[in-house]
Amino acid sequence: MNQSAVSAVSPATLEVVALGGLGEFGMNMMAVSWEDTTILIDAGVMFPDPDQLGVDLIIPDFAYIEARRDQVKALILTHGHEDHIGAVPHVVPRFDGPVYGTAMTLALIEPKLEEHGIDAGDRLKTVKPRDTVTIGPLAVEFIRVTHSMPDCVALAITTPVGVIVHTGDFKIDQTPIDGEHFDLHRFAELGARGVLALFSDSTNVDRQGFTGPEIDVIDAFEELFTSTQGKLVVALFSSSIYRMQLLLDLAVQFDRKVAFVGRSIVKNADIAQRLGYLRVPAGLQIRDADVPNHAAQDVLCLATGSQGEPRAALSRISIDDHRFVRLGPDDIVVFSARAIPGNEKAIARTMSHVARRGADVVTDSMKHVHVSGHGSAEELKLVLSLVRPRHFIPIHGEYRQLSQHARVARRVMRGIEPTLQVMLAQDGDIIQFDARGARIADKEPTGRVLIDVTRIGEVGDEVLRDRRHLAADGVVIAVVAISRQDGALIGEPELVARGYVFGEDEEAAIFKDAAGVIAECIESSKVEERTDQGLMTEKLRGELRKFFKKRSGRRPLVLPVLMEI
């Protein structure tokens, strides 16, 4: 580990290290340090890829925090999305200071802490936009921004070497549902006074123009309310409080009762109502258990499961596995959310299940039923023009977004701040600011920790199919070491079988021949194929399945495990 990780920052040097969120979507977390004071900004999670079996969440590696535990004085939260607060229960026990956030953000954190058996006591400190808190030599001001949920803020941190601005997630919605506008004036004031560095959201930098306001979806939903003869089921993120409010208002207009279906959407709706961010007129809401007691054309269901999550409400509804909500031929299911990369197959599978029930599916590609919560290129340019930083560091996005945001910043600032320094940082890069300027000085070890929440969920059709497959033919695991450079086979493949029946003295011969099949498959593949782990895994799986079927007449579940060396 680098020396800087275990000692205080050098005198008169501001140090900023991203522990997650640079070069990836999710897991957003940053540490800002001056001498013996460190503050953390956000603590988010990332959701696993489909091939990360048994993994529920991915959080940042906290080695950096553990090494300077006594220096961490506070955790500052920008808003309540999972990619910014999901890891809070894992980081709170690692330091002793307060957690600052707006009312909605902290309300979403409290049940998470309870689930983990953490008593936060008086550590949760509620702040409002334009509030300022002082943490050692650092003063943190909270600035209102608009996003896809209420109570979101950017941060202006005054340090001994200047002000740094962290935008959090934002778009500039000029017709916000709750009437709380993006604080453009404060950004402009900061820019006029001088800003040392801007750390800005890069999620939608590759989208031209401006991101539409939330009210843009009203016309499409009005059309759906008018034309739908049966139930209207809308799948959305459980944090999309503004979208919920629009749909509740339309339900009143079109005389439909509203049922919240899914644990997280019920919980978030209750929190939002308690804080006054969601208005539900008396008599409008019904329980999911009451849905069968109303005519289909009189019901609107707001459900979890827009990403095809197997345990979410919509996934269970789509396979007739929900206790109360059933789909019929006149019903319409609306996916009012963007597909998170990696979830496309799960979403398509859920849509197919919905179609089998006879219901119709509507997505954003068919009607304008979703708008992003992140600013597009013109909004990012506007923030740059207002803040006029001397140094710019794009954050929140894959490397291609960060790189494009860097190019946008250079173009925008050419006539405003011609000496602008743009730094393309990645997780773990130590960005230092002092009297001499700014630089990426070194790198801290960062990484990911895979979390298995070990919840008991519904047993779906896929799980049952795999269990039957295992029971009938067993499983064969092939461990294959390949070169990281060119994908060439290294050493002999190792095969292990469980539940697979061999003839007398047959096991060694079959495994030897199977190893030959693996070697031949790898050698006959192009370098591009061999270095694509996902493609090579599927290719080996197919060849080994054909081999075992031909050799024994059985079809064991084949699991190739490729290890790059």
Side-chain angles (χ1 to χ4, degrees):
M1 182 177 292
N2 296 342
Q3 183 63 29
S4 60
V6 293
S7 62
V9 180
S10 302
T13 300
L14 181 71
E15 179 179 291
V16 179
V17 180
L19 305 179
L22 271 63
E24 62 213 351
F25 284 119
M27 214 169 66
N28 298 295
M29 191 173 193
M30 185 175 287
V32 178
S33 302
W34 177 269
E35 295 181 343
D36 61 352
T37 297
T38 296
I39 63 172
L40 305 174
I41 301 174
D42 290 334
V45 299
M46 178 187 292
F47 294 100
D49 293 329
D51 61 345
Q52 292 173 308
L53 303 175
V55 176
D56 296 298
L57 301 171
I58 304 172
I59 64 174
D61 186 337
F62 297 130
Y64 180 88
I65 298 169
E66 293 282 4
R68 53 178 65 215
R69 186 183 186 112
D70 294 339
Q71 295 173 221
V72 178
K73 305 301 183 185
L75 170 61
I76 316 290
L77 301 171
T78 59
H79 66 287
H81 278 145
E82 286 297 304
D83 57 336
H84 292 259
I85 66 168
V88 169
H90 300 278
V91 75
V92 162
R94 290 175 160 87
F95 75 102
D96 297 324
V99 178
Y100 293 99
T102 56
M104 183 73 185
T105 302
L106 295 185
L108 292 170
I109 285 170
E110 286 171 351
K112 294 179 182 295
L113 297 176
E114 290 174 10
E115 287 175 14
H116 284 76
I118 297 171
D119 181 8
D122 61 353
R123 294 177 64 186
L124 301 184
K125 307 292 186 182
T126 304
V127 294
K128 301 186 299 296
R130 292 292 184 114
D131 282 354
T132 298
V133 298
T134 301
I135 306 158
L138 307 175
V140 182
E141 180 186 353
F142 299 85
I143 306 170
R144 169 86 65 191
V145 296
T146 47
H147 188 35
S148 57
M149 70 180 300
D151 251 1
C152 301
V153 290
L155 308 174
I157 305 171
T158 301
T159 79
V161 290
V163 175
I164 64 172
V165 174
H166 185 295
T167 66
D169 284 355
F170 75 94
K171 69 176 179 180
I172 301 177
D173 191 334
Q174 301 194 61
T175 53
I177 303 297
D178 57 7
E180 299 288 352
H181 287 261
F182 189 104
D183 197 345
L184 291 168
H185 300 291
R186 185 56 184 150
F187 278 90
E189 288 172 359
L190 290 166
R193 293 180 185 178
V195 170
L196 174 66
L198 171 65
F199 296 79
S200 182
D201 177 19
S202 308
T203 304
N204 273 356
V205 68
D206 48 6
R207 295 190 185 184
Q208 298 303 308
F210 290 86
T211 298
E214 275 293 319
I215 61 171
D216 273 7
V217 303
I218 290 178
D219 289 347
F221 275 111
E222 281 185 338
E223 183 182 333
L224 287 167
F225 272 88
T226 301
S227 61
T228 303
Q229 301 299 312
K231 284 190 295 298
L232 189 58
V233 180
V234 180
L236 68 170
F237 290 120
S238 62
S239 59
S240 297
I241 305 300
Y242 293 144
R243 191 78 43 83
M244 290 183 207
Q245 187 65 66
L246 289 174
L247 291 165
L248 289 169
D249 294 344
L250 287 169
V252 172
Q253 180 182 338
F254 289 92
D255 293 323
R256 284 182 182 255
K257 299 294 185 182
V258 179
F260 294 99
V261 189
R263 189 171 64 96
S264 62
I265 202 168
V266 169
K267 179 190 72 176
N268 288 0
D270 286 345
I271 290 171
Q273 285 184 73
R274 173 164 54 84
L275 295 175
Y277 293 119
L278 191 67
R279 302 178 309 280
V280 184
L284 179 67
Q285 184 177 349
I286 60 175
R287 298 176 305 156
D288 59 358
D290 294 329
V291 169
N293 302 328
H294 291 78
Q297 64 268 25
D298 295 334
V299 174
L300 164 68
C301 294
L302 303 182
T304 57
S306 64
Q307 303 304 303
E309 308 96 313
R311 293 191 292 266
L314 182 60
S315 293
R316 290 184 286 123
I317 292 169
S318 71
I319 59 172
D320 270 349
D321 192 36
H322 195 277
R323 287 186 296 169
F324 307 115
V325 182
R326 295 282 192 276
L327 293 176
D330 292 327
D331 297 342
I332 290 182
V333 175
V334 182
F335 285 77
S336 182
R338 72 180 178 91
I340 295 175
N343 292 342
E344 293 87 355
K345 286 185 178 180
I347 294 169
R349 186 168 58 245
T350 301
M351 290 179 179
S352 292
H353 289 316
V354 168
R356 288 190 181 95
R357 308 281 83 77
D360 200 2
V361 172
V362 173
T363 67
D364 188 35
S365 62
M366 303 172 187
K367 294 183 184 295
H368 194 34
V369 292
H370 174 65
V371 291
S372 175
H374 297 269
S376 297
E378 294 304 315
E379 288 146 285
L380 304 185
K381 292 176 186 177
L382 177 55
V383 168
L384 278 159
S385 300
L386 291 174
V387 176
R388 294 184 285 174
R390 298 202 300 277
H391 307 282
F392 176 67
I393 301 91
I395 58 174
H396 301 174
E398 294 178 353
Y399 195 84
R400 59 190 174 89
Q401 273 98 13
L402 305 184
S403 178
Q404 187 167 343
H405 202 175
R407 288 194 294 273
V408 167
R410 291 188 184 99
R411 288 198 298 270
V412 169
M413 302 301 289
R414 191 172 296 147
I416 302 173
E417 187 71 41
T419 60
L420 174 76
Q421 179 186 5
V422 176
M423 287 181 282
L424 266 172
Q426 300 183 66
D427 290 347
D429 283 348
I430 301 173
I431 307 169
Q432 292 185 344
F433 302 90
D434 58 23
R436 295 172 296 155
R439 72 204 66 83
I440 296 176
D442 203 347
K443 197 170 186 73
E444 289 287 352
T446 55
R448 303 175 177 186
V449 176
L450 310 182
I451 302 295
D452 180 0
V453 182
T454 61
R455 290 191 292 258
I456 297 175
E458 299 288 332
V459 178
D461 48 1
E462 289 185 1
V463 174
L464 292 175
R465 186 193 65 215
D466 286 345
R467 286 179 177 175
R468 292 191 189 104
H469 195 166
L470 287 167
D473 295 308
V475 60
V476 174
I477 301 168
V479 181
V480 185
I482 59 173
S483 166
R484 184 182 295 273
Q485 279 71 37
D486 60 7
L489 182 65
I490 298 175
E492 288 287 327
E494 292 184 24
L495 289 97
V496 179
R498 293 291 183 268
Y500 181 85
V501 180
F502 293 97
E504 189 174 346
D505 300 325
E506 192 180 38
E507 181 174 355
I510 286 183
F511 277 3
K512 182 179 179 181
D513 292 345
V517 169
I518 293 171
E520 184 178 345
C521 179
I522 292 174
E523 288 169 8
S524 63
S525 300
K526 298 176 182 177
V527 173
E528 290 84 357
E529 292 177 309
R530 294 203 301 256
T531 52
D532 185 330
Q533 207 171 38
L535 181 63
M536 205 63 223
T537 297
E538 287 306 312
K539 194 169 182 180
L540 286 173
R541 191 195 318 277
E543 292 299 318
L544 287 172
R545 286 172 67 181
K546 284 191 288 186
F547 168 79
F548 284 107
K549 171 66 174 172
K550 183 177 179 181
R551 189 67 174 261
S552 65
R554 294 187 175 276
R555 294 180 300 168
L557 184 65
V558 177
L559 299 176
V561 178
L562 268 64
M563 298 189 303
E564 289 185 340
I565 297 176

